Amino acid sequence: AKDYELRQYETAKWVSTVIRGESQKEAMRQGFWKLFHYIQGKNEKEMKIDMTVPVTCLVKSGCTDFKISFFVPFEHQDCPPQPTDSDVFIEERKAAALFVRSFGGFASPEKYAEEADALARTLRNRGQPFHEDFFYTAGYDSPFKLFNRHNEVWYFKK
């Protein structure tokens, strides 16, 4: 469709942390740094790992817990080094079909919510069943990139 796409993602490992009781913006900031320390060597093997994209944030309606995640690079998917920070964990996300809406600019929590609402409306109007109680935000760019930025919101297909 012109305003969204349906993607099939394979099972993959992500390194994640959950930040509780903060605003989404603050949770993203705290979560990013916890995960950044992990890839900079705060793991069992004291191994530096390449930064990957996207950085995702799980947003559940009516909830102030946010799960922030980095994709584990392909070369570490089989055996990612275990985090040494007890707040950081490796998770395996099962294969899934996702409805994805992309947009540019600097994404704020408000902008992500607006784009998620627009995607949800479109999916409902087209009779596409999806899990409405949560969505993921996905950011692909460094904060230093000023132009041609790429952001997404994801809903899981039912």
Side-chain angles (χ1 to χ4, degrees):
K2 71 178 188 329
D3 42 6
Y4 71 90
E5 58 185 294
L6 177 60
R7 290 187 196 151
Q8 179 65 41
Y9 280 96
E10 297 308 313
T11 298
K13 292 190 178 91
W14 295 70
V15 58
S16 301
T17 188
V18 175
I19 306 295
R20 292 180 171 82
E22 297 287 352
S23 68
Q24 185 178 346
K25 186 173 186 167
E26 180 59 18
M28 283 293 295
R29 190 190 68 74
Q30 288 182 24
F32 177 89
W33 285 110
K34 282 184 177 289
L35 300 174
F36 187 76
H37 292 311
Y38 166 81
I39 66 171
Q40 287 298 299
K42 196 171 180 184
N43 57 63
E44 276 182 346
K45 297 179 182 170
E46 296 182 353
M47 176 190 290
K48 282 195 179 219
I49 299 166
D50 288 339
M51 174 81 198
T52 59
V53 292
V55 176
T56 65
C57 179
L58 172 61
V59 179
K60 297 179 194 171
S61 35
C63 183
T64 58
D65 293 358
F66 298 97
K67 181 170 64 176
I68 293 81
S69 306
F70 287 2
F71 180 76
V72 172
F74 292 109
E75 63 267 25
H76 299 293
Q77 279 286 317
D78 290 339
C79 193
Q82 288 304 304
T84 53
D85 180 338
S86 60
D87 291 339
V88 177
F89 56 95
I90 303 295
E91 67 169 323
E92 183 170 271
R93 294 187 193 167
K94 300 293 178 214
L98 304 180
F99 293 109
V100 177
R101 180 177 170 97
S102 300
F103 60 99
F106 281 89
S108 63
E110 297 76 21
K111 180 67 173 162
Y112 277 125
E114 186 182 298
E115 295 291 336
D117 286 346
L119 176 55
R121 272 195 313 278
T122 300
L123 295 174
R124 280 187 215 106
N125 289 341
R126 300 218 173 119
Q128 292 282 6
F130 66 102
H131 293 275
E132 297 191 39
D133 52 333
F134 69 94
F135 65 90
Y136 278 91
T137 68
Y140 287 82
D141 300 304
S142 143
F144 306 111
K145 182 175 182 183
L146 301 180
F147 302 103
N148 300 315
R149 297 179 60 80
H150 184 81
N151 313 288
E152 297 174 347
V153 289
W154 301 347
Y155 274 112
F156 280 61
K157 183 177 177 169
K158 275 191 177 175

